[in-house]
């Protein structure tokens, strides 16, 4: 999986007013957690801030990245666990980063359909139902995309998660979820009806 570096600063001023001031200045309040624990074993979060420009490298893209978070010279390897955005402006207002180790993690990986489906050759339309699937694996084994060959997918058929198998990855998305399907188009349905009518007419003539 691709990696990128994002620069961050330790956030000293907390609270709603401080958060509003950060956003006005083009920054995003964030937290990092995942490794450090308190005496009760609960996760300890570190408050940081990242500029919107830096954060854009990770969120305004179809790719999923492992992020090397540079916190004032200290590098921490993380993934985005939760992203909150402004519903009107569609800009990030808060991010939770999860620190990762060699232990398996759950990530959403983009789906990539490869090949020309048999059903498309027959006049159907290939539709993608889910753009990402959840998998579990050590971050070093996570691919950039989940490549799925749809060459043999016929007209009116669908492909579910239960049919997929990727070496080294555990599928977390429920097995009954439909990933893609080849739907009958109006043109294909019309052609099928014409063919059926012609066949019936030929049988009647005989």
């Amino acid at each position: 999986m691709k990696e990128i570096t994002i620069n961050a600063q330790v956030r000293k001023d907390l609270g709603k007013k401080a958060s509003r001031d950060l956003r006005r200045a083009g920054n995003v309040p964030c937290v990092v957690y995942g490794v450090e624990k308190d005496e009760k074993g609960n996760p300890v979060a570190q408050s940081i801030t990242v500029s919107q420009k830096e954060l854009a490298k990770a969120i305004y893209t179809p790719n999923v990245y492992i992020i090397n978070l540079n916190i004032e010279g200290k590098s921490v390897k993380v993934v985005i666990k939760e992203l909150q955005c402004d519903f009107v402006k569609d800009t990030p207002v808060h991010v939770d980063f999860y620190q990762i180790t060699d232990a398996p993690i759950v990530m959403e990986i983009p789906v990539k359909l490869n090949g020309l489906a048999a059903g498309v050759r027959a006049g159907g339309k290939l539709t993608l139902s889910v753009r990402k699937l959840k998998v579990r694996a050590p971050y070093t084994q996570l691919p950039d995309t989940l490549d799925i060959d749809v060459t043999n997918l016929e007209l009116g058929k669908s492909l579910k998660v239960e049919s997929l198998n990727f070496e080294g990855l555990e599928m977390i998305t429920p097995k009954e979820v439909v990933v893609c399907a080849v739907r009958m188009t109006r043109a294909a349905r019309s052609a099928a009806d014409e063919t059926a009518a012609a066949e019936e007419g030929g049988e009647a003539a005989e």
Side-chain angles (χ1 to χ4, degrees):
M1 177 173 283
K2 295 183 178 68
E3 297 189 16
I4 60 172
T5 297
I6 290 180
N7 295 309
Q9 291 75 41
V10 175
R11 184 183 172 199
K12 299 176 182 179
D13 296 327
L14 306 179
K16 293 183 178 180
K17 181 182 183 301
S19 295
R20 287 196 298 268
D21 291 341
L22 282 172
R23 296 183 185 110
R24 290 193 190 100
N27 299 308
V28 182
C30 312
V31 295
V32 182
Y33 67 96
V35 174
E36 295 186 16
K37 310 285 184 181
D38 62 18
E39 62 277 5
K40 296 182 179 180
N42 297 317
V44 175
Q46 180 182 16
S47 296
I48 61 171
T49 180
V50 177
S51 73
Q52 290 186 7
K53 184 178 179 180
E54 285 283 303
L55 196 57
K57 296 187 293 186
I59 63 176
Y60 297 125
T61 170
N63 301 318
V64 177
Y65 293 108
I66 299 296
I67 299 171
N68 293 306
L69 198 60
N70 181 12
I71 309 174
E72 298 183 2
K74 178 183 177 182
S75 182
V76 180
K77 202 173 291 290
V78 301
V79 294
I80 293 178
K81 192 69 172 181
E82 184 177 353
L83 171 65
Q84 298 176 23
C85 291
D86 183 285
F87 291 108
V88 178
K89 299 179 181 179
D90 196 31
T91 54
V93 296
H94 192 275
V95 180
D96 286 1
F97 291 107
Y98 182 78
Q99 188 174 356
I100 58 177
T101 62
D102 292 332
I105 59 172
V106 175
M107 286 282 290
E108 287 189 327
I109 306 297
V111 171
K112 182 181 179 183
L113 303 181
N114 298 320
L116 181 62
V120 173
R121 293 196 297 271
K125 180 180 180 180
L126 181 65
T127 60
L128 181 63
S129 302
V130 290
R131 296 186 179 277
K132 294 180 181 180
L133 296 174
K134 284 186 178 181
V135 301
R136 178 186 284 118
Y139 80 90
T140 53
Q141 297 182 26
L142 293 171
D144 293 326
T145 58
L146 296 175
D147 293 347
I148 301 174
D149 185 2
V150 296
T151 305
N152 297 322
L153 191 60
E154 298 180 352
L155 188 63
K157 301 297 182 180
S158 62
L159 186 65
K160 295 183 178 181
V161 172
E162 62 185 354
S163 303
L164 303 178
N165 182 39
F166 300 96
E167 185 177 357
L169 303 181
E170 177 188 355
M171 300 302 300
I172 301 301
T173 299
K175 61 182 181 180
E176 66 272 11
V177 170
V178 173
V179 179
C180 61
V182 179
R183 309 295 184 187
M184 180 79 78
T185 62
R186 290 182 179 179
R189 186 177 293 108
S190 177
D193 291 342
E194 290 177 1
T195 299
E199 289 176 351
E200 291 177 359
E203 292 176 356
E206 292 176 1

